[in-house]
Amino acid sequence: MDETVKPVRIPPEMSIYAEKHDIFDLVQTMVSSLMVDKPDDPISYLMSLLKRGRVEPPKIILLGPPASGKTTIEIPADIWIELIQHRLSKIDCFRKGWVLEGFPQTRLHALTLQAAGVIPNHADVYHQTFVWPPDPEVAERLEQDSGGSEEQRLAHLQLYGRELAGLTTAYRHVLKTINADQPHTDVYEEVLRYVLTRRESRAPQTPRILLVGPPGSGKSLQARRLADKYKLVDLNCGQLLKAEAADGSTLGQLIKPYIETGHQVPDSVVLQVLSQRLSALDCTTRGWVLHGFPREPEQARRLQESTYKPSRVFFLEMTDDVAIERLTLRTIDPISGERHHGLEHPAPNREVEARLQTHPDDTPPRVQEKLTQYWKHAARLKALFPDGVHVNADQDPHTVFECVESRVFKRPDIRPNQ
């Protein structure tokens, strides 16, 4: 075989290591900084970036209308930007991060800052409320700020109102609107929560999604929707085993007797089939969504210890009554192949209804047996995946999908120093 066209095998552990250590984000940050700053010595520049540490310091811009009595000094925008660039280049800003307030005032200012490489990772829109001093003596000697007339303050507010839409557009990817009509401590807590929330990464990711839930919770449906939208590989463990048995391979011949007799395939064999499939090029490059495995704690432990550890785990939860209703009332038309449900999608006429068939696994005794088996291990499975996301599956499938989708690429928040 011509080695120049042979498919490249990407080790699954590569993406796991890269995501664990934020390698993709690190490379993205370094390349972005390199293209903005254009240093004469790129290698030394990149080495200095690496020495700064893995955690990117906060870069925050506060936007809001002029405060009452604030004096504005009219300085040309290019001079402002030159001054800001000079200050932000200091080592303390590199290491600790920075908060910029009072500039930009227009969308043109914002775009000019971005072109100069001053790019925040947070932008907050707010109105700074007055904070009454707790000391009565200080409160008694306060005086009205005489800076600026009422007309000047109104003009500044009108200018801010005209420019707000442009500023919002310029920082739409990092913007957070804060309601300042509340105690200043609450405003601070809300801003702090946003600053400590990690933004959605634009670095490449390879989703490795595991769906766990009782029979009838919609695992297959949600897996199919995720696979369709994000081009993931949909892996139904049961279907994988049947396909391997039908293939006639050595491994398939070992599996076939278990499937024909309805017995459980040994874990070692199941993991061998999964390892073989998950190491394929499409899984390592596009990502995957797995369901139907693990069903027992020992299977879950072996999956976690393998090189195919899932990056997201979802528990689709519902009561037994709902699961029984979903499964025991579903049927199939043997002629058209169309699936029906006694409540949600009944047969169109009596002729079709008369020939509908129920799968042996959907009989009430069999469904109850599968539910009992699931709940026997459910608590221990959840304990093995403490970061798993619990989703109420007893609702519209589209709503369930939105709940799952919103957490597929969500990264954990940054924890502040205690």
Side-chain angles (χ1 to χ4, degrees):
M1 183 177 185
D2 185 359
E3 291 296 324
T4 61
V5 297
K6 184 178 180 179
V8 178
R9 181 185 180 278
I10 302 176
E13 55 269 23
M14 186 188 77
S15 60
I16 296 176
Y17 176 85
E19 290 174 19
K20 178 181 179 181
H21 297 281
D22 293 330
I23 300 299
F24 294 136
D25 293 282
L26 177 62
V27 172
Q28 178 181 267
T29 300
M30 293 173 65
V31 172
S32 176
S33 300
L34 188 65
M35 299 309 295
V36 169
D37 294 340
K38 299 180 177 63
D40 294 331
D41 186 354
I43 301 301
S44 298
Y45 175 83
L46 292 175
M47 292 175 64
S48 67
L49 288 181
L50 287 171
K51 292 178 181 178
R52 282 166 43 187
R54 286 174 49 199
V55 178
E56 185 177 3
K59 304 169 185 176
I60 307 165
I61 289 181
L62 301 178
L63 306 172
S68 177
K70 181 178 179 181
T71 301
T72 302
I73 302 176
E74 298 297 336
I75 299 178
D78 56 341
I79 297 179
W80 265 124
I81 292 171
E82 185 177 346
L83 291 171
I84 291 170
Q85 274 187 297
H86 176 72
R87 182 62 187 89
L88 297 185
S89 65
K90 301 293 185 181
I91 190 65
D92 58 344
C93 290
F94 267 110
R95 291 180 175 175
K96 298 180 180 180
W98 46 263
V99 178
L100 178 61
E101 189 271 336
F103 195 89
Q105 298 176 351
T106 68
R107 182 172 185 271
L108 180 59
H109 291 169
L111 296 178
T112 307
L113 275 179
Q114 292 173 359
V118 180
I119 303 175
N121 47 30
H122 299 86
D124 300 293
V125 176
Y126 76 113
H127 186 284
Q128 190 172 11
T129 56
F130 183 75
V131 181
W132 196 258
D135 189 339
E137 294 185 6
V138 176
E140 285 183 7
R141 62 173 183 260
L142 293 179
E143 296 181 359
Q144 180 88 27
D145 187 353
S146 59
S149 64
E150 186 69 26
E151 291 77 12
Q152 288 176 319
R153 292 195 291 270
L154 180 60
H156 291 156
L157 283 170
Q158 290 175 338
L159 174 62
Y160 172 78
R162 289 196 301 270
E163 296 294 342
L164 180 59
L167 289 168
T168 301
T169 301
Y171 294 114
R172 61 187 180 277
H173 297 301
V174 294
L175 186 66
K176 171 69 172 179
T177 300
I178 305 295
N179 174 23
D181 188 17
Q182 53 184 327
H184 69 282
T185 54
D186 294 341
V187 175
Y188 169 76
E189 290 293 337
E190 193 169 344
V191 172
L192 181 62
R193 280 196 301 270
Y194 177 62
V195 171
L196 296 178
T197 300
R198 299 184 67 177
R199 293 178 300 143
E200 180 177 318
S201 174
R202 295 187 180 181
Q205 296 185 53
T206 306
R208 304 180 304 280
I209 304 169
L210 175 63
L211 300 182
V212 183
S217 57
K219 299 185 293 294
S220 297
L221 174 61
Q222 299 304 327
R224 185 165 62 252
R225 290 190 172 188
L226 286 169
D228 289 344
K229 182 166 184 177
Y230 294 102
K231 309 303 178 186
L232 308 178
V233 180
D234 182 0
L235 299 177
N236 182 321
C237 186
Q239 295 299 325
L240 277 178
L241 295 175
K242 291 178 182 178
E244 189 69 31
D247 188 52
S249 63
T250 303
L251 195 57
Q253 292 175 5
L254 183 62
I255 296 171
K256 191 173 182 179
Y258 292 97
I259 293 179
E260 291 178 343
T261 58
H263 290 86
Q264 183 171 317
V265 180
D267 292 349
S268 58
V269 179
V270 176
L271 285 169
Q272 192 173 344
V273 173
L274 279 177
S275 298
Q276 182 176 290
R277 185 64 187 91
L278 294 175
S279 62
L281 186 63
D282 56 349
C283 287
T284 56
T285 55
R286 291 160 46 193
W288 45 264
V289 50
L290 173 65
H291 51 110
F293 184 91
R295 296 183 177 183
E296 300 176 358
E298 182 58 30
Q299 295 174 342
R301 276 192 288 269
R302 297 184 68 171
L303 180 64
Q304 287 184 311
E305 293 169 359
S306 70
T307 56
Y308 310 102
K309 184 178 180 179
S311 57
R312 292 289 182 274
V313 179
F314 295 92
F315 290 96
L316 306 184
E317 301 183 328
M318 65 193 320
T319 62
D320 285 4
D321 291 341
V322 176
I324 291 172
E325 180 183 280
R326 283 188 179 184
L327 296 178
T328 60
L329 295 181
R330 67 183 184 182
T331 53
I332 188 170
D333 184 344
I335 295 179
S336 66
E338 185 176 0
R339 295 181 178 275
H340 295 273
H341 189 276
L343 296 178
E344 299 175 2
H345 182 45
N349 53 59
R350 290 185 178 181
E351 180 183 353
V352 174
E353 184 179 2
R355 65 173 184 251
L356 293 180
Q357 297 179 356
T358 300
H359 193 279
D361 282 344
D362 291 341
T363 60
R366 179 62 180 141
V367 170
Q368 188 60 61
E369 180 185 341
K370 290 191 293 184
L371 285 169
T372 301
Q373 185 69 16
Y374 171 77
W375 290 114
K376 178 181 178 182
H377 303 294
R380 294 173 65 191
L381 284 173
K382 293 174 183 178
L384 287 169
F385 297 105
D387 295 328
V389 180
H390 297 260
V391 178
N392 176 19
D394 184 16
Q395 51 186 333
D396 178 79
H398 181 70
T399 303
V400 177
F401 177 74
E402 288 182 335
C403 294
V404 173
E405 182 185 31
S406 67
R407 300 297 295 271
V408 168
F409 298 104
K410 182 178 177 60
R411 292 154 40 132
D413 294 344
I414 303 170
R415 297 182 182 274
N417 294 327
Q418 300 297 326

